[in-house]
Every structure is written in C-alpha cells, then in structure tokens.
Amino acid sequence: MRGPFQIESKDPGSLARAGVLRTQHGPVRTPAFVPLATKATVKGLESREVTALGYDMILGNTYHLFLDPGHELIARFGGLHRFMGWDGPIVTDSGGFQVFSMGHGNVAAEIKKTGGVGGRASSVRIEERGVTFRSHLDGSTRFMGPETSMEVQAALGSDLALVFDECTPFHVTRDYTARSTERTHRWLQRCLEWHERHGPAGQLVYGIVQGGVFEDLRTASSLEVASSRCHGVAIGGSLGADKPQMHGVVEMATSVLGGAFEHKPRHLLGIGDVDDLIRGVELGIDTFDCVMPTRLARHGTAIVPDPDGRWRVDLSAARHRESQEPIMDGCPCPACSTGLSRGYLRYLVKHRELTGARLLTVHNLAYLARLMADLREAIGEGRLAERAAALRAGDAPRVFEGCAGASRSHSTMKYMVKRVVR
Ligand SMILES: [Zn+2]
C-alpha cells in the first residue's frame, strides 16, 4: 500500500533517509525542522515569511488552542489554516506534553531543559479515561482524554494529528514507566478508533512511542506503535539525562523501525539543537520540532556555527557592545546580509525592541532551514557522512535558494525548484 511518505534516497552509512511527506496542504521535504506556531503564530513572523525561509510545515499546540480561543471558535473560522492564514501543512501536538508537564513536577524543565511548571502535582489527575487538570489561564478544571484530543485536532483541521499520550518524565521508576507506556498504547487505540469514525478525511495520525530510557520498553513501544493503523511514528517522553543518552534512546526506537515499518514517517518531539538535528537525521528521523530557535531568539541568542559555544552566541552580553561584526558571515538572512552589527542587535535586545526579536527569530530559523536542506541534499548525493562531519566541526550550512529569509510570494516559493547557490 502506498502511504503518505516516499523515501527518495537512503544513506548507506547510517539510518538516514530523505523523502517527501504528502499532506492535504502540500508536500513536506524531509528531513525537516518544523517551527512552532504554538498559539497560531510563529511568534513575531508572518506566514509568508516562514514560507520564504524554506519551511513547508509548522506545529500548532492543541493544549493552548483548546483553552483559548477554543477549537470550536477556530472551527467557525474554517479551521486553523484559515484562522492564522497559513495554507501549508500543519501538525498539531496532542496536548499531552502540556497537560502532564503540570503534573509531574519538573518534567517540562527536564525534557525541554527550559525551566518548566514545577510543584503542581496536585493539579493533575490521571485516570484511564483521561486527565483532569487545571487551566494555567484561569485555574478552571478541565478534562482531556484521547477522544478529546482527537476531537480538538479534528476541529483545528490539522494535516497531521498526534495521539494523546502520557509524557513520562525521567525521574519516575521503571515500573511506573512500564505501566504508563501500556496506558499510552491503550490510548493510541482509542485515538485511532475515534479518528476512524469522526476524523477529517485526509488527516494523518502519528502514534507516540514512550518507554523512557529503558531499551526493552522503548523497543516494545516502537513496535506496538508502528504496527498500529497510524500513519507515522513520533518519539516522545523522557529521552535521558544528557545528549549521549538521548541519542541512544532515539536509536532504540528507530533501529527497530526498518523492514515493514520503513515507510512510516518518524517525528522526534521537542529536539532542535544543531548537533542533535544532525545526529537525529543519521538515526533516521524525518521531522523535528522544538521551541529552541524561536525562544532563544526572543531572549537575544543567535544560532551560529560554533560547536565549542554550543552553537549559540548570547547577543545580550556586554562584550558585544562595540562589535561591528555581523552575527555570522555568509548568512543570507536580513540581519546578516545587510550587515547589521552584533553591537546594534545587542542594543535592540537590551531594550527589548520587537525588531531585535524578529531579526534574531528570522536568523535562527534561516540557520535551521539551511542546515536541514544541507543534510537533505547530502543524503541525496550520498555524502552525508562527509557533510555531517563538516557541519559538526563548525562549517556553516550552505546557502540554498528558498532558505534565505528574503521576501518572495507564497506561490512562487511553493513551486520553485530548490537549487544550490554557491
Ligand atoms: Zn543571519
């Protein structure tokens, strides 16, 4: 059976593959990074700007849109695409991560490494039917179960829905993780059953692999999800305490997804550091999402090809006050290509000027768009090992037409053939 995902080339030296995921609102070239449009916007940008950066798909947040403005209201506007003026593919998460991040203490901080909502264990009640939680907006008691999550995502009209799962944190026991993973599998079946009866035609559904850092649980969960009727496989939950463990956990999942499951697309939830994206691609991940590039930008940090500096430069630091250098050489984004200095950007960041946040958001998203295009191209050319090594060593991603952040009309971009501009 021909599924929504076609693999176009495979890397002989790793699990990496490049392909095209076909959705109701157009194709997604993979491997791809998916910017967050948590509250129906990629913060600070217009939809056409996100497209001009070379992005095919964005991610909307079920939890936030469920609480405000509500999925019924968005449905009355014709769905999330029309509500926010984005006519490309949209993936919606299930709301599971946000619901549970309030219940497991510091799970959000642990998984996202950003400092989450802690100490509110009493505000969440987990039962077989679903989860009762307190809205972070007004403290009201709300409920979300597998069917609710699918109903919200159906009303939003996303191209790709994720099933409702329990996002297990790192600090719980193996026994808890095992029982929770089994419940996530039962919820997967309920999501698929609801979707088969009521889901919008053409909406793809991804199951979510849990199992914490335990190899047997991760392997079993991968096989359970992949052998279900879902269209794709997402990897979620706690991926470990550090990068090596996280890469190991991803490999536990993807290494058993070959053979009959090879053509199910794979999404890695909440990962977006430059080195993690490179490794994730090598481990056979097709799509990634993460708050990192846009959140860092709003706090004055730019992504740069500097492995020793964790690929980041904090432009709010006083040492940039007199710097007349651009963020990075050779970047086609509006800030770098027009020669705006680090000193100027530091000044904007220091005074929380909206222009500063916007310029850094565009720069960071331009960097990741080019990184993914570079990896995609390298897989197609059979040179992934060489290219990944260079990028890891601090080589800047190559400049591709369509990943420049320059203004282009949506329709031009959509049909433009990608070419390398050397
Ligand atoms: Zn730039």
Side-chain angles (χ1 to χ4, degrees):
M1 190 182 72
R2 186 182 160 95
F5 182 59
Q6 275 92 54
I7 296 171
E8 294 182 335
S9 29
K10 294 203 281 188
D11 174 51
S14 71
L15 299 174
R17 66 261 192 94
V20 179
L21 175 64
R22 299 198 184 280
T23 77
Q24 291 277 86
H25 285 83
V28 180
R29 298 158 293 173
T30 70
F33 180 78
V34 181
L36 258 56
T38 302
K39 295 177 183 171
T41 177
V42 176
K43 287 186 199 302
L45 303 192
E46 296 174 50
S47 289
R48 61 180 177 176
E49 293 176 306
V50 178
T51 301
L53 285 164
Y55 288 103
D56 296 328
M57 182 158 71
I58 56 171
L59 183 141
N61 187 290
T62 295
Y63 170 85
H64 287 283
L65 298 174
F66 169 61
L67 293 182
D68 187 27
H71 55 291
E72 297 98 338
L73 183 138
I74 291 176
R76 289 197 292 278
F77 277 79
L80 186 55
H81 293 86
R82 283 186 60 192
F83 185 61
M84 66 177 290
W86 169 267
D87 63 7
I90 296 177
V91 49
T92 41
D93 67 8
S94 64
F97 176 79
Q98 284 74 25
V99 165
F100 287 104
S101 65
M102 302 175 118
H104 285 303
N106 62 350
V107 65
E110 205 173 84
I111 293 172
K112 301 280 188 184
K113 297 183 170 53
T114 51
V117 190
R120 299 177 63 175
S122 62
S123 68
V124 172
R125 191 169 71 244
I126 307 168
E127 298 167 298
E128 187 65 25
R129 70 188 185 104
V131 185
T132 307
F133 62 98
R134 268 188 212 285
S135 161
H136 75 285
L137 294 177
D138 58 10
S140 62
T141 301
R142 305 295 295 260
F143 172 81
M144 186 176 279
E147 293 81 8
T148 333
S149 173
M150 297 314 285
E151 187 183 340
V152 173
Q153 295 181 77
L156 296 175
S158 56
D159 299 275
L160 205 161
L162 296 181
V163 302
F164 192 67
D165 64 324
E166 178 176 358
C167 192
T168 49
F170 184 60
H171 65 252
V172 297
T173 63
R174 184 189 186 286
D175 185 50
Y176 183 90
T177 304
R179 283 184 286 117
S180 161
T181 302
E182 282 167 19
R183 179 163 51 212
T184 286
H185 296 160
R186 292 193 294 276
W187 286 357
L188 163 68
Q189 293 306 325
R190 280 167 55 187
C191 286
L192 290 170
E193 281 160 23
W194 190 94
H195 191 266
E196 277 156 17
R197 286 201 301 276
H198 312 289
Q203 187 181 49
L204 305 176
V205 179
Y206 278 33
I208 300 185
V209 173
Q210 288 288 345
V213 297
F214 307 102
E215 184 157 16
D216 56 336
L217 299 182
R218 277 283 170 190
T219 303
S221 185
S222 292
L223 296 174
E224 177 91 15
V225 171
S227 57
S228 76
R229 300 183 304 283
C230 68
H231 301 96
V233 179
I235 300 169
S238 172
L239 300 170
D242 52 31
K243 283 173 183 276
Q245 188 175 27
M246 186 262 276
H247 300 158
V249 170
V250 172
E251 190 167 13
M252 289 172 199
T254 57
S255 60
V256 297
L257 292 176
F261 305 131
E262 187 176 37
H263 287 273
K264 291 213 173 185
R266 307 160 188 164
H267 182 86
L268 182 56
L269 288 156
I271 297 296
D273 282 353
V274 170
D275 49 344
D276 295 335
L277 292 171
I278 297 169
R279 187 68 191 135
V281 166
E282 290 173 333
L283 293 173
I285 299 294
D286 303 305
T287 51
F288 304 80
D289 77 88
C290 193
V291 72
M292 188 275 292
T294 43
R295 179 177 286 168
L296 282 182
R298 295 195 302 279
H299 290 92
T301 295
I303 302 175
V304 288
D306 174 17
D308 296 335
R310 296 176 58 228
W311 314 92
R312 297 173 187 187
V313 59
D314 177 7
L315 292 173
S316 69
R319 65 190 159 90
H320 301 296
R321 190 167 180 274
E322 303 270 349
S323 173
Q324 297 191 17
E325 286 174 43
I327 304 172
M328 64 179 276
D329 291 323
C331 172
C333 89
C336 300
S337 65
T338 58
L340 294 180
S341 64
R342 290 184 176 201
Y344 173 62
L345 290 161
R346 180 201 170 255
Y347 174 75
L348 294 184
V349 166
K350 183 165 171 258
H351 289 282
R352 299 177 189 276
E353 286 291 338
L354 296 178
T355 305
R358 259 180 59 77
L359 287 168
L360 289 179
T361 298
V362 171
H363 167 83
N364 285 356
L365 287 179
Y367 193 107
L368 294 194
R370 287 187 297 124
L371 176 71
M372 301 312 285
D374 202 331
L375 293 167
R376 193 159 62 229
E377 191 97 347
I379 296 168
E381 293 170 354
R383 303 184 299 104
L384 181 65
E386 173 200 329
R387 200 57 201 134
L391 289 164
R392 276 197 184 95
D395 204 8
R398 287 178 293 170
V399 178
F400 294 84
E401 200 172 330
C403 303
S407 294
R408 278 181 194 281
S409 77
H410 201 156
S411 56
T412 310
M413 288 296 308
K414 211 164 182 176
Y415 301 106
M416 195 169 66
V417 178
K418 177 170 60 63
R419 288 195 306 272
V420 184
V421 182
R422 290 185 190 276

